[in-house]
Amino acid sequence: MIAELQQAVARYAHALDELNVPELEAVLAEDTTWTFMMPGQRVLGPVSGRTAVLDFIRAGHTAQAGRTRHHLSNVVVTTVDAATAEVRAYLLQTRNTGESLQIIATGVYTFGLRQSDGEWRIAELNLTLDNVL
């Protein structure tokens, strides 16, 4: 079960970076919510519902320059039962413009996952950034 949870989080990061909408739809619960916190600033969100989250992701991809990667590490399952789980992971977000490599952000993801149709799906995503974007 732990490997399945880690796989769901990895699928999310790959799909996010590639703007693979079908994969994002598969890994996000229909009623998913996203919330972001940056130091010294207000909370962004929650962005509620898979459609709104996908619109948010598309807007982010349109605004970015270069190739962005979400590197997740130190992935740990903090709680789990038959239907729900919580997974935490460190974020290192990078951008490669072809001329330079930049570290954009670091932070901590907390994923709330839920079993749906035999798959683990992200029902809640909280990202606490260490820096302001």
Side-chain angles (χ1 to χ4, degrees):
M1 182 180 309
I2 290 175
E4 292 171 352
L5 292 163
Q6 291 172 329
Q7 184 72 7
V9 169
R11 287 174 47 214
Y12 153 78
H14 282 269
L16 181 64
D17 292 340
E18 300 297 326
L19 191 56
N20 182 337
V21 174
E23 183 65 18
L24 285 166
E25 289 174 335
V27 77
L28 297 173
E30 184 71 34
D31 62 346
T32 193
T33 61
W34 284 20
T35 306
F36 303 89
M37 290 154 276
M38 288 183 261
Q41 295 195 354
R42 63 179 175 79
V43 172
L44 173 62
V47 178
S48 298
R50 184 167 46 205
T51 300
V53 167
L54 290 172
D55 289 345
F56 183 83
I57 291 169
R58 286 183 189 101
H61 269 265
T62 300
Q64 70 186 3
R67 186 70 158 178
T68 300
R69 299 279 187 216
H70 294 74
H71 307 270
L72 304 184
S73 65
N74 296 355
V75 179
V76 294
V77 176
T78 55
T79 60
V80 65
D81 61 33
T84 63
E86 182 180 277
V87 176
R88 291 177 46 93
Y90 289 151
L91 166 69
L92 173 65
Q93 186 179 5
T94 61
R95 176 180 298 131
N96 187 334
T97 65
E99 296 178 13
S100 68
L101 177 63
Q102 307 159 334
I103 296 175
I104 301 169
T106 61
V108 177
Y109 271 113
T110 303
F111 298 93
L113 293 102
R114 179 174 61 231
Q115 273 282 349
S116 175
D117 299 324
E119 297 284 333
W120 286 103
R121 300 187 196 287
I122 298 169
E124 186 175 352
L125 181 150
N126 292 293
L127 175 57
T128 302
L129 293 171
D130 298 324
N131 58 293
V132 177
L133 294 177

